[in-house]
Amino acid sequence: DAMVIQNPRYQVTQFGKPVTLSCSQTLNHNVMYWYQQKSSQAPKLLFHYYDKDFNNEADTPDNFQSRRPNTSFCFLDIRSPGLGDAAMYLCATSPDRGYEQYFGPGTRLTVT
Amino acid sequence: DQQVKQNSPSLSVQEGRISILNCDYTNSMFDYFLWYKKYPAEGPTFLISISSIKDKNEDGRFTVFLNKSAKHLSLHIVPSQPGDSAVYFCAASDIRGAQKLVFGQGTRLTINP
């Protein structure tokens, strides 16, 4: 089955210790997104790649970076996690912007 | 500025009855609307969408209605089943403009036996 895969599902990191979350897709979609979701809130878009073109949201902190080495993979790097970065991180893909996005299961990040 | 609003944080419905989830938006440029369902510890799952050129779209037990003049959409689930218990997010996008999905805060639907 075509899908969006996120690893790991649960990640614990220490305050200030860099962490990388990964996402892969077998849908061959052009667009990949990273969202942050805190409990009982709407998903918040951090950035997205349209093919190789990186698009950052204006309010995404510099602490968050992303890489997309090929169509299938996209990474979220948090350079110096703070306690406020504890959240669910969702990866999504879509064939084009503005339409349905298909989400992975998410990575729950805990910062100690 | 919350452009997409789901004013009911929670909704409880008896199994077999109709569930109606509501969503309001403020941005008149939005022209594509979606509903997602989310179980705990999982990512949102796409349910159904509607373009602004339509006022209704139906898929099995799920129907979405769009009232452009009122800037309001609703999701009807009939009949409601226990497996429908989840958080439902509506989302909107401007497919000719910013092309990003803007999500509402979600409504937790509980189906009671």
Side-chain angles (χ1 to χ4, degrees), chain A:
Chain A
D1 279 345
M3 54 186 6
V4 182
I5 301 162
Q6 290 189 246
N7 285 306
R9 294 292 310 274
Y10 300 91
Q11 176 75 55
V12 180
T13 190
Q14 291 179 328
F15 182 94
K17 185 173 181 182
V19 65
T20 295
L21 310 181
S22 73
C23 176
S24 64
Q25 56 135 338
T26 60
L27 297 161
N28 203 33
H29 283 169
N30 278 332
V31 196
M32 294 187 78
Y33 306 82
W34 279 104
Y35 288 86
Q36 179 192 66
Q37 186 179 29
K38 298 188 176 179
S39 58
S40 304
Q41 295 183 16
K44 178 182 182 296
L45 181 64
L46 296 173
F47 25 60
H48 75 276
Y49 274 94
Y50 186 83
D51 197 9
K52 297 178 183 178
D53 184 29
F54 177 71
N55 297 270
N56 199 27
E57 293 300 299
D59 59 353
T60 298
D62 292 341
N63 198 26
F64 292 86
Q65 304 285 321
S66 186
R67 297 170 282 136
R68 188 179 186 187
N70 54 52
T71 301
S72 300
F73 286 86
C74 196
F75 300 97
L76 170 63
D77 300 309
I78 308 176
R79 294 194 294 190
S80 181
L83 297 177
D85 297 327
M88 174 74 86
Y89 288 88
L90 296 164
C91 173
T93 72
S94 66
D96 202 351
R97 289 184 288 207
Y99 295 97
E100 294 86 281
Q101 295 178 14
Y102 298 89
F103 285 82
T107 295
R108 168 74 63 188
L109 177 69
T110 301
V111 182
T112 61

Side-chain angles (χ1 to χ4, degrees), chain B:
Chain B
D1 177 30
Q2 207 174 334
Q3 298 184 69
V4 178
K5 297 180 186 178
Q6 294 175 255
N7 291 317
S8 297
S10 62
L11 176 68
S12 187
V13 174
Q14 197 169 5
E15 181 178 359
R17 298 281 183 113
I18 183 170
S19 296
I20 301 176
L21 297 111
N22 293 302
C23 181
D24 296 297
Y25 62 96
T26 57
N27 188 341
S28 58
M29 298 302 292
F30 287 147
D31 51 10
Y32 197 72
F33 304 89
L34 309 91
W35 284 95
Y36 282 84
K37 173 181 179 179
K38 186 180 184 303
Y39 292 121
E42 293 185 14
T45 302
F46 169 70
L47 267 179
I48 192 169
S49 61
I50 187 167
S51 164
S52 60
I53 62 173
K54 295 186 173 182
D55 53 19
K56 177 183 173 182
N57 189 25
E58 191 172 353
D59 183 2
R61 296 186 298 114
F62 301 91
T63 302
V64 56
F65 295 91
L66 176 62
N67 182 334
K68 288 185 289 294
S69 60
K71 294 191 178 67
H72 178 83
L73 68 154
S74 61
L75 175 68
H76 292 210
I77 306 172
V78 55
S80 301
Q81 298 174 354
D84 296 330
S85 296
V87 177
Y88 288 78
F89 289 95
C90 71
S93 75
D94 167 14
I95 59 174
R96 290 165 295 184
Q99 299 178 319
K100 302 173 195 175
L101 292 191
V102 180
F103 287 87
Q105 297 289 90
T107 296
R108 181 176 301 280
L109 175 65
T110 302
I111 306 301
N112 301 309

